[in-house]
Amino acid sequence: MAKIVVFGAGGRAGRKTVVEAAARGHQVTAVVRDPAKYADLAAAAAGVTVVAGDVTDALSVAESAAGHDAAISTAARMDVPADEFFTAAARALADGLAAAGVTRLVVVGIGTTLEVTPGVPIYDTPEFPADFRPFSLGHAAELDVLRATDERLDWLVLAPPPVVLDDEGPKTGAYRFGDERVPENAGESFAYADLAAAVVDEAENPRHHRALVAVAS
C-alpha cells in the first residue's frame, strides 16, 4: 500500500484516478480548490481524504504532498490562460515535491502534443483548429518546464490519444504505452477509466522516466 496525492482530483480524469488508486488499497489524498464542492469524492472509495490545495503554489504542493510516496496531477483550469496555468503548475510541482521529498510525478497530458512526424506535434499541423491551439501550447510549455527540472524529479507525462475520452466507458485494462508519436490504430474513443489505470500503474511501478509517453487502447 502506498500514499498517493492527486492534484486536480475533482475533474473527470482526477476522479477516475482517485477511485482507481483507492480501489487498489492505496491511501489517497485528493487535492481540490474547494473541498466543500467535492463532498462526494471522499465517499467514492475508502481511503480517500479530500483537502484544499493550489497546484500552482509550491508551498501548498509541499504541504499536500508531505509523507506521500508519489504524486499525480490531472489539474487543468479553463478560466486561466493555459500557458500561465500549466507552466505555473509544473514549476510549483517541481519545487513543492522536492521540498516534500516526493520524487515520482505522473502528469496527465493531452494527445495534441504527440507527434505526427518527427518534431511535428498535432497542434503544428495545418489543419489543426486555431481555437484549440492555445490550450495545446500550454501543455507544451508545461513539458518544457518539466524537461528543465532537476534530474531527481522522476516525472512522466502520459498523453491519451487525440480521440474522444469516454467518462462512462468501463475499465478494460487493455491499454498500451507508446512514445511521443500519435499511436497507430487508437480507435475513436478511450476510456478515462483505462487512462486512470495507466496513471496509477506508473505511480506504483515506474516504467517510463522524464518523458512524454502516449497511452491508448
Side-chain angles (χ1 to χ4, degrees), residues 5-8 55 71-76 89 93 105-109 142 199:
V5 57
V6 180
F7 296 92
V55 73
I72 293 168
S73 179
T74 64
L93 285 165
L105 168 65
V106 182
V107 178
V108 172
E142 173 187 55
V199 167

Side-chain angles (χ1 to χ4, degrees), residues 55-56 73 84-96 105 107 141-146 149 153:
V55 73
T56 65
S73 179
E84 293 180 17
F85 174 78
F86 288 111
T87 54
R91 294 188 188 100
L93 285 165
D95 294 342
L105 168 65
V107 178
E142 173 187 55
L143 272 167
D144 289 339
V145 172
L146 291 172
T149 57
L153 179 63

Side-chain angles (χ1 to χ4, degrees), residues 77-208:
R77 290 279 296 273
M78 301 303 167
D79 58 338
V80 177
D83 59 338
E84 293 180 17
F85 174 78
F86 288 111
T87 54
R91 294 188 188 100
L93 285 165
D95 294 342
L97 294 179
V102 177
T103 59
R104 183 57 171 172
L105 168 65
V106 182
V107 178
V108 172
I110 190 171
T112 54
T113 59
L114 298 171
E115 296 180 349
V116 292
T117 58
V120 181
I122 293 176
Y123 64 76
D124 269 346
T125 56
E127 64 273 16
F128 190 76
D131 289 348
F132 297 147
R133 185 173 167 81
F135 194 73
S136 298
L137 288 174
H139 276 279
E142 173 187 55
L143 272 167
D144 289 339
V145 172
L146 291 172
R147 286 169 174 150
T149 57
D150 187 289
E151 292 285 338
R152 287 173 291 186
L153 179 63
D154 184 19
W155 61 267
L156 169 67
V157 175
L158 277 183
V163 299
V164 174
L165 295 181
D166 184 0
D167 194 33
E168 303 297 329
K171 183 177 75 171
T172 68
Y175 71 83
R176 56 192 164 99
F177 291 119
D179 50 25
E180 293 194 3
R181 296 171 294 181
V182 176
E184 295 183 359
N185 303 315
E188 297 182 356
S189 67
F190 185 57
Y192 273 108
D194 279 333
L195 174 60
V199 167
V200 177
D201 281 348
E202 280 289 345
E204 288 178 336
N205 299 298
R207 294 172 53 192
H208 301 88

